[in-house]
Amino acid sequence: MRFIWEDFLKIAKEELGSRVVETWFKAVSITKWDNKEKIIYLQTPNVFVCNWLEKNYRSVFQTHLGRLLNVIDPKVVFVTTSLKKNEDIPAHTELDISVIEKKTPESKIFRAAHVIPYNNNQKTHLIASKLSERSGHLNKKYIFETFVVGPSNSLAYAAACAVAQKPGELYNPLFLYGGSGLGKTHLLHAIGNTIQVHNKKAVILYQTADRFVNEFINAIRFDKIERFQKKYQQVDVLLIDDIQFISNKETTQEAFFHIFNSLYDARKQIVFSSDTFPQNINGIAERLRSRLASGMIADIHQPCIEVKTAILKRKAELSGELLSDEVAHFLASHVTSNIRELEG
């Protein structure tokens, strides 16, 4: 059956794309093929995956596995062994996925425990630090001293500095928005780096929204929701880049909503960046949108040519290069999109 399954994955990848296969199908395996009853038993890692496949991909399994097994319209049964004995959901449940997506805050997936303060004990710090490291380090080159301030970004810069000096006290949450490549990520890292200098014990986590989504999906797939929750409950400063990427992902938004509430209630600092104003992000639940916009909102505009010239000269200096005013002005006047392209 291994070869049948490998052929199925190839077909599914061509039809649905590699992302669907990697996220949902790779965690599944064929446990039994009942040739007499024409039933295919598929093992799933947990109830969430079981229900998701049942609702969204049953026909895909039926069609392609039936063709590979040379059977017309076989029955597909999804099973899972992750259920505890005291749970009343049958192993091959047919619950609708919406039941899980509408779980209350007290549910197993979205229950938000009290945030553990960073100075609770040494073991907490070690665990949280290791978890934070796996999600990506702060970029040490992004500090306030290397950020060129001008009229287009002065408000965002001032707000970021204030947050770094008094995390959890001023502008919580802080929401930075503006076009791509204008310095939002630089400021997020600068906040984290500054807080880390003043408080070595603080648990600081920089995370892109798309990485958060993937991490949450994997936590569901491999039945590690509690570990996922614990990681974010131990954070003192949460920096989320490109928050707009959780739009139209209802279950992820539900999980993030409770993480936000837990951290906010514990006076932990939260900072977001986005390419647009909170009210203009489509596909966001209203209660989450209101929280994104509940603190300080600062935008970053396209810089004027003088600021772009100053940025060019600053970046050249940091690279050990000398750039004349004439060359810097020429380049700045011909690159109009964003700072990232200007640096390139």
Side-chain angles (χ1 to χ4, degrees), residues 21-40:
V21 172
E22 291 293 330
T23 302
W24 299 107
F25 294 179
K26 282 291 184 70
V28 180
S29 61
I30 300 178
T31 58
K32 182 180 179 182
W33 161 234
D34 189 332
N35 189 42
K36 183 178 179 181
E37 299 294 332
K38 311 302 180 190
I39 301 176
I40 304 168

Side-chain angles (χ1 to χ4, degrees), residues 70-327:
N70 199 26
V71 178
I72 298 175
D73 197 26
K75 184 178 180 181
V76 177
V77 175
F78 298 99
V79 299
T80 178
T81 57
S82 66
L83 294 171
K84 296 178 180 178
K85 292 181 179 179
N86 61 349
E87 291 180 333
D88 56 1
I89 304 174
H92 48 280
T93 177
E94 295 185 3
L95 286 176
D96 191 287
I97 192 66
S98 61
V99 174
I100 292 179
E101 290 194 337
K102 293 177 182 177
K103 288 277 189 181
T104 62
E106 290 74 30
S107 69
K108 177 184 177 183
I109 292 180
F110 303 124
R111 183 173 59 251
H114 294 295
V115 175
I116 303 172
Y118 67 81
N119 60 353
N120 190 39
N121 56 58
Q122 190 173 2
K123 186 176 180 181
T124 296
H125 278 313
L126 189 57
I127 294 172
S129 297
K130 287 182 178 178
L131 289 169
S132 178
E133 287 174 3
R134 282 201 290 272
S135 292
H137 294 281
L138 289 170
N139 191 327
K140 298 303 180 182
K141 75 175 184 178
Y142 289 147
I143 56 178
F144 287 121
E145 289 74 14
T146 59
F147 189 86
V148 177
V149 185
S152 61
N153 58 27
S154 57
L155 176 61
Y157 174 81
C161 287
V163 162
Q165 293 301 318
K166 294 185 177 181
E169 298 181 31
L170 296 173
Y171 310 141
N172 196 24
L174 172 62
F175 192 101
L176 306 176
Y177 76 96
S180 177
L182 297 182
K184 301 186 300 295
T185 298
H186 188 138
L187 288 177
L188 258 64
H189 284 278
I191 291 170
N193 284 322
T194 300
I195 295 173
Q196 194 78 80
V197 168
H198 291 93
N199 186 351
K200 299 294 185 183
K201 295 181 179 180
V203 179
I204 301 169
L205 176 57
Y206 167 83
Q207 187 77 294
T208 60
D210 58 346
R211 195 162 59 199
F212 178 89
V213 172
N214 290 334
E215 186 182 10
F216 177 59
I217 290 173
N218 285 329
I220 295 169
R221 280 180 60 196
F222 302 115
D223 204 18
K224 294 183 178 179
I225 285 294
E226 290 184 6
R227 182 178 178 183
F228 174 85
Q229 288 177 324
K230 189 173 183 179
K231 169 181 175 177
Y232 284 91
Q233 289 163 3
Q234 292 174 342
V235 169
D236 294 303
V237 180
L238 180 60
L239 311 164
I240 301 289
D241 215 348
D242 291 321
I243 190 64
Q244 73 273 6
F245 286 124
I246 69 170
S247 61
N248 299 313
K249 298 177 177 65
E250 294 180 10
T251 310
T252 304
Q253 288 180 35
E254 179 78 9
F256 186 76
F257 174 81
H258 296 294
I259 288 171
F260 178 98
N261 286 345
S262 181
L263 294 179
Y264 182 81
D265 290 344
R267 299 176 64 87
K268 306 299 183 180
Q269 182 64 52
I270 308 168
V271 185
F272 302 108
S273 83
S274 174
D275 61 2
T276 188
F277 187 72
Q279 299 300 329
N280 296 334
I281 302 177
N282 296 320
I284 294 285
E286 194 56 41
R287 63 177 184 171
L288 180 56
R289 189 195 309 279
S290 68
R291 280 159 177 75
L292 296 180
S294 63
M296 175 68 174
I297 302 175
D299 63 340
I300 302 179
H301 302 295
Q302 289 282 349
C304 60
I305 191 168
E306 290 82 6
V307 173
K308 287 196 290 184
T309 302
I311 291 172
L312 266 175
K313 292 180 71 66
R314 173 69 61 84
K315 289 186 177 296
E317 290 173 5
L318 292 173
S319 300
E321 302 289 342
L322 292 176
L323 197 64
S324 67
D325 293 340
E326 293 79 6
V327 172

